[in-house]
């Protein structure tokens, strides 16, 4: 399951925005908002998406009134998830379009969806204007009374739509009051709070004004795609490019990760070894205020959308881009410098597999050694990288290996097979059934095991798709022990296909789609869909498997099973796992980190259904102090175990605890126990 979090382009993009933004001197009017309309390529793209989903999706897709109603509901939900923007009368008025979305999709008649989106922008503008009006007091006195017992509901997904503007105003009064209280609790005074929130709300308005036609089309098509199946999606041209970067871990550009802060495009991080790094002229927090291609004139990019700035900066290897840079510690435009950079191919090595040694006793030079291979995703050529890491670890004399797949959402299906093949001689790895019920078995056939010693695999609830294929195969063969949490439960295979044709004459590309073409199954015949992979040794978790992952996804495909593949288990680890589990359970009784975790789980379970928060200052301050005091006690207990001095204030805490990983430490202990059993993979 691919995750599109901060994925690098020519520069890597982080879309997280600062809480502050430039303030506006004049009030905003609805006339300032863009009136968005579909572009010429969108009708064609819509028709091609609909045709592909109905003809080639694993799930049989029928375009009818029932689907139209579902797409309509999903689209409205995407526009106003918290139900604090639209009025009930707006929703009632939209009902006439409820059964028209099949026409929107099949004929590319998108005007309805754009009309709804344009009204949503207007309503959002009205809401932010109201929020700003609450801050527009002339004196320096905070206008909110925090002695009252009021509650702010931060989850209104299932609440009724507001019946009047007055009801909407009350919801936003509470929202603004909550924002003010949060800043008050950080010891900010009213003038500063007013300044921060004015900038925040004004910047939100500016983002509304920068909305583009592609934003609407992407939202409509993904409302359709997610009604079909949760791992089906439309990718805008820019997102399609990011997908390829994520799979290949390489890009052409300058090698800087950017984010938008206020009106500026700011360098967040320099990619090691890239052109920006080699130039020695750029650093984190520098602001990019102008961009030029080669010797052409500069374009002023202050106030631009982040992805538009990225489009200017990225480019082919060997070409030159010039940047006007304002130092991060300066606001004086007289200090702008020009930096010229030749673009190049950049390898995103920080996202590649990596290994490290883990010693049973760090104070003993003759201590037993483990190798820990961390795999963030299943990108192209992953297995080759892991093979190199295994060789390095074997040269260092490791007796066992931990493969860490925590947080790994998957990726390339062939790479899951190739990775499994590094730890077995040969045999089936995964079964795949397509929409025509044809079953294909993907196998490792090289007859070589690159590591046949004790193996453990760490997983968590974010481990999905290709991670589950690998973990399930290791488990079914008895090749190793799976440790951690119940995995996500994604058992489907997606295909990525561009929408463009060679004969298209559109000014802009059509983007691409990712859609489900098959389901995969374990070699024992069971699907990982919904059920995921159950670890052999389970760590404590706050999340019930039924409340997480694929089981909570709307329109997810069901669990089923097929015949078992022909394979021979390498080991029967049943009794060994019982033994390892008994040692593990005995250990964690006295493990303070696990006891902290169990305590946190109890608190989470007690509070998880509460969707409101108090707006009483005394109540919130008392809760805050209680949490801080509890945290301080825990931190000092952890420091004492590390032989470090205690602290009296959490602000004095340095990074001593950042490297603590109690789950990895316990997985290592389990692996050392496993080593003592002498289990070697059979040939």
């Amino acid at each position: 399951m691919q995750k599109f979090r901060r994925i690098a382009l020519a520069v890597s993009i982080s879309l997280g925005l600062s809480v502050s933004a430039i303030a506006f001197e004049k009030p905003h009017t609805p006339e300032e908002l863009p009136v968005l309309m579909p572009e010429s390529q969108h009708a064609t793209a819509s028709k091609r998406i609909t045709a592909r989903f109905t003809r080639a999706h694993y799930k049989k897709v029928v375009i009818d009134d029932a689907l139209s109603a579902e797409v309509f509901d999903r689209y409205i939900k995407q526009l106003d998830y918290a139900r604090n923007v639209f009025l009930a009368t707006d929703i009632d008025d939209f009902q006439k379009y409820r059964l028209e979305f099949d026409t929107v999709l099949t004929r590319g008649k998108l005007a309805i969806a754009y009309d709804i989106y344009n009204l949503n922008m207007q309503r959002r503008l009205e809401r932010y204007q109201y929020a700003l009006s609450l801050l527009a007091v002339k004196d320096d006195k905070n206008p909110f009374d925090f002695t009252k017992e009021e509650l702010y509901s931060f989850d209104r997904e299932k609440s009724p739509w507001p019946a009047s503007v007055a009801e909407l105003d009350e919801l936003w009064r509470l929202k603004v009051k909550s924002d003010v209280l949060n800043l008050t609790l950080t010891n900010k005074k009213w003038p500063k709070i007013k300044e921060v929130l004015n900038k925040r709300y004004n910047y939100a308005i500016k983002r509304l004004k920068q909305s583009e036609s592609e934003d609407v089309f992407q939202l409509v098509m993904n409302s359709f795609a997610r009604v079909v199946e949760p791992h089906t999606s439309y990718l805008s041209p820019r997102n399609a490019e990011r997908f390829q970067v994520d799979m290949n871990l390489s890009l052409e550009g300058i090698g800087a990760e950017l984010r938008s802060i206020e009106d500026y495009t700011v360098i967040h991080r320099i990619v090691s070894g890239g052109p920006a790094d080699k130039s020695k002229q750029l650093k984190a927090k520098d602001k990019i205020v102008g961009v030029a291609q080669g010797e052409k004139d500069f374009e002023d990019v202050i106030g631009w959308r982040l992805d538009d700035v990225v489009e200017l900066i990225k480019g082919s290897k060997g070409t030159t881009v010039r940047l006007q840079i304002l130092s991060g510690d300066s606001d004086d435009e007289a200090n702008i410098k020009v930096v010229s950079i030749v673009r190049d191919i950049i390898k995103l090595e920080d996202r590649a597999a990596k290994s490290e040694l883990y010693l049973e006793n760090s104070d003993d030079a003759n201590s037993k050694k483990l190798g820990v291979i961390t795999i963030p995703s299943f990108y192209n050529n992953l297995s080759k990288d892991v093979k190199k890491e295994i060789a390095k670890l074997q040269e260092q004399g490791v007796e066992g290996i931990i493969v860490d797949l925590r947080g790994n959402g998957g990726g390339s299906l062939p790479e899951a097979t190739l990775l499994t093949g590094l730890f077995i001689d040969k045999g089936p790895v995964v079964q795949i059934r397509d929409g025509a019920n044809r079953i294909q078995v993907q196998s490792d056939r090289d007859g070589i095991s690159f590591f046949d010693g004790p193996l453990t695999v760490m997983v968590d609830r974010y481990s999905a798709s290709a991670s589950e294929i690998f973990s399930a195969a290791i488990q079914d063969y008895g090749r190793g022990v799976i440790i951690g949490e119940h995995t996500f439960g994604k058992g489907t295979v997606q295909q990525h296909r561009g929408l463009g044709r060679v004969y298209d004459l559109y000014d802009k590309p059509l983007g691409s789609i990712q859609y489900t073409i098959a389901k995969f199954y374990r070699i024992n015949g069971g699907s990982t869909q919904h059920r995921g992979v159950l670890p052999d040794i389970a760590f404590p978790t706050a999340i019930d498997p039924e409340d997480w992952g694929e089981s909570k996804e709307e329109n997810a495909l069901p669990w089923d099973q097929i015949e078992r593949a022909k394979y021979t288990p390498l080991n029967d680890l049943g009794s060994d796992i019982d033994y390892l589990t008994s040692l593990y359970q005995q250990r964690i009784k006295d493990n303070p980190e696990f006891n902290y975790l169990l305590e946190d789980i109890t608190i989470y379970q007690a509070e998880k259904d509460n969707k409101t928060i108090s707006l009483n200052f005394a109540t919130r301050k008392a809760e805050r102090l209680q949490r801080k005091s509890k945290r301080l006690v825990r931190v000092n207990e952890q420091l004492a175990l590390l032989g470090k001095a205690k602290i009296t204030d959490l602000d004095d805490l340095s990074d001593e605890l950042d490297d603590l990983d109690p789950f990895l430490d316990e997985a290592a202990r389990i692996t050392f126990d496993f080593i003592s059993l002498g289990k070697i993979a059979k040939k």
Side-chain angles (χ1 to χ4, degrees), residues 112-301:
I112 290 171
Y114 277 76
D115 288 345
I116 294 173
Y117 193 98
N118 284 326
L119 180 61
N120 183 263
M121 286 197 297
Q122 180 182 330
R123 292 284 184 260
R124 287 187 179 276
L125 174 60
E126 293 167 358
R127 289 300 93 214
Y128 286 118
Q129 286 176 325
Y130 176 72
L132 288 168
S133 73
L134 295 176
L135 304 176
V137 292
K138 295 182 179 180
D139 55 33
D140 290 338
K141 183 180 179 182
N142 192 323
F144 295 97
D145 182 358
F146 293 117
T147 64
K148 290 184 178 180
E149 293 295 338
E150 290 186 309
L151 295 176
Y152 171 58
S153 177
F154 55 82
D155 185 350
R156 300 189 68 258
E157 179 188 1
K158 297 180 181 179
S159 300
W161 301 97
S164 65
V165 173
E167 192 174 332
L168 261 181
D169 286 348
E170 177 60 11
L171 292 176
W172 277 74
R173 182 188 70 82
L174 293 173
K175 173 178 169 51
V176 174
K177 184 175 182 179
S178 178
D179 289 345
V180 172
L181 178 55
N182 288 336
L183 293 172
T184 303
L185 288 167
T186 63
N187 296 322
K188 288 184 172 62
K189 302 302 181 184
W190 172 245
K192 183 62 177 178
I193 292 171
K194 184 178 177 180
E195 176 190 344
V196 169
L197 293 182
N198 264 303
K199 288 183 178 181
R200 184 185 300 181
Y201 301 151
N202 272 311
Y203 192 70
I205 292 174
K206 183 163 188 177
R207 294 293 293 171
L208 278 177
K209 294 179 181 181
Q210 294 177 330
S211 299
E212 298 176 349
S213 178
E214 183 63 36
D215 300 331
V216 188
F217 184 73
Q218 181 169 256
L219 194 65
V220 178
M221 289 301 110
N222 275 319
S223 296
F224 172 31
R226 297 307 167 87
V227 162
V228 173
E229 192 262 346
H231 304 292
T232 296
S233 60
Y234 163 74
L235 304 178
S236 69
R238 288 169 178 170
N239 283 337
E241 189 171 357
R242 295 172 200 175
F243 174 83
Q244 294 301 330
V245 168
D246 197 41
M247 291 303 294
N248 296 320
L249 293 193
S250 69
L251 54 92
E252 290 181 275
I254 68 169
E257 186 177 299
L258 307 182
R259 65 175 44 177
S260 182
I261 300 179
E262 299 186 359
D263 246 11
Y264 292 101
T265 297
V266 179
I267 295 176
H268 177 61
R269 186 176 68 91
I270 301 295
V271 178
S272 177
D277 183 33
K278 293 176 181 177
S279 77
K280 306 300 181 186
Q281 298 184 75
L282 298 176
K283 62 183 184 300
K285 298 184 180 181
D286 280 351
K287 302 167 186 173
I288 299 173
V289 298
V291 181
Q293 309 303 322
E295 295 304 315
K296 293 182 179 180
D297 293 338
F298 278 98
E299 290 191 67
D300 187 321
V301 296

Side-chain angles (χ1 to χ4, degrees), residues 42 62 65 77 124 181 201 332 365 476 525 542 549 567 614 633 641 670:
H42 287 151
V62 179
D65 285 351
K77 182 177 180 179
R124 287 187 179 276
L181 178 55
Y201 301 151
D332 185 357
D476 290 343
Y567 75 100
S614 172
V633 170
L641 290 172
I670 292 170

Side-chain angles (χ1 to χ4, degrees), residues 251-402:
L251 54 92
E252 290 181 275
I254 68 169
E257 186 177 299
L258 307 182
R259 65 175 44 177
S260 182
I261 300 179
E262 299 186 359
D263 246 11
Y264 292 101
T265 297
V266 179
I267 295 176
H268 177 61
R269 186 176 68 91
I270 301 295
V271 178
S272 177
D277 183 33
K278 293 176 181 177
S279 77
K280 306 300 181 186
Q281 298 184 75
L282 298 176
K283 62 183 184 300
K285 298 184 180 181
D286 280 351
K287 302 167 186 173
I288 299 173
V289 298
V291 181
Q293 309 303 322
E295 295 304 315
K296 293 182 179 180
D297 293 338
F298 278 98
E299 290 191 67
D300 187 321
V301 296
I302 296 175
W304 281 33
R305 282 171 57 125
L306 180 60
D307 46 6
D308 289 335
V309 180
V310 168
E311 286 296 311
L312 286 182
I313 296 176
K314 73 178 184 179
S316 302
K317 175 183 177 181
T319 60
T320 299
V321 62
R322 290 184 299 137
L323 307 176
Q324 288 179 326
I325 300 296
L326 182 62
S327 176
D329 52 13
S330 172
D331 290 320
D332 185 357
E333 295 193 8
N335 296 327
I336 289 177
K337 66 178 180 179
V338 175
V339 177
S340 182
I341 298 178
V342 178
R343 301 176 177 107
D344 200 355
I345 295 176
I346 302 149
K347 292 295 183 182
L348 305 177
E349 296 181 355
D350 58 334
R351 298 185 191 173
K354 59 185 177 183
S355 67
E356 60 181 341
L357 277 181
Y358 190 105
L359 304 179
E360 187 174 27
N361 184 350
S362 58
D363 297 327
D364 184 356
N366 297 315
S367 173
K368 290 182 179 179
K369 301 175 184 176
L370 289 180
V372 180
I373 301 176
T374 302
I375 302 177
S377 69
F378 281 73
Y379 55 89
N380 295 334
N381 296 317
L382 164 68
S383 56
K384 292 182 181 179
D385 289 349
V386 173
K387 191 185 299 183
K388 294 176 184 176
E389 299 303 321
I390 290 174
K392 283 197 314 188
L393 292 171
Q394 287 179 319
E395 288 176 1
Q396 298 176 81
V398 301
E399 298 183 49
I401 285 179
I402 299 173

Side-chain angles (χ1 to χ4, degrees), residues 45-101:
S46 178
K47 294 173 186 177
R48 289 178 185 174
I49 291 169
T50 305
R52 178 58 56 177
F53 287 175
T54 53
R55 296 172 188 171
H57 202 284
Y58 181 85
K59 182 178 179 180
K60 303 307 176 187
V61 180
V62 179
I63 307 296
D64 56 13
D65 285 351
L67 182 132
S68 177
E70 287 188 69
V71 175
F72 170 83
D73 289 339
R74 172 68 66 132
Y75 185 54
I76 298 299
K77 182 177 180 179
Q78 294 288 91
L79 287 172
D80 189 8
Y81 179 84
R83 298 195 174 192
N84 64 359
V85 175
F86 282 132
L87 287 164
T89 51
D90 294 329
I91 302 302
D92 291 341
D93 188 50
F94 295 153
Q95 294 303 316
K96 60 179 177 283
Y97 304 132
R98 187 177 184 81
L99 303 183
E100 298 296 323
F101 268 70

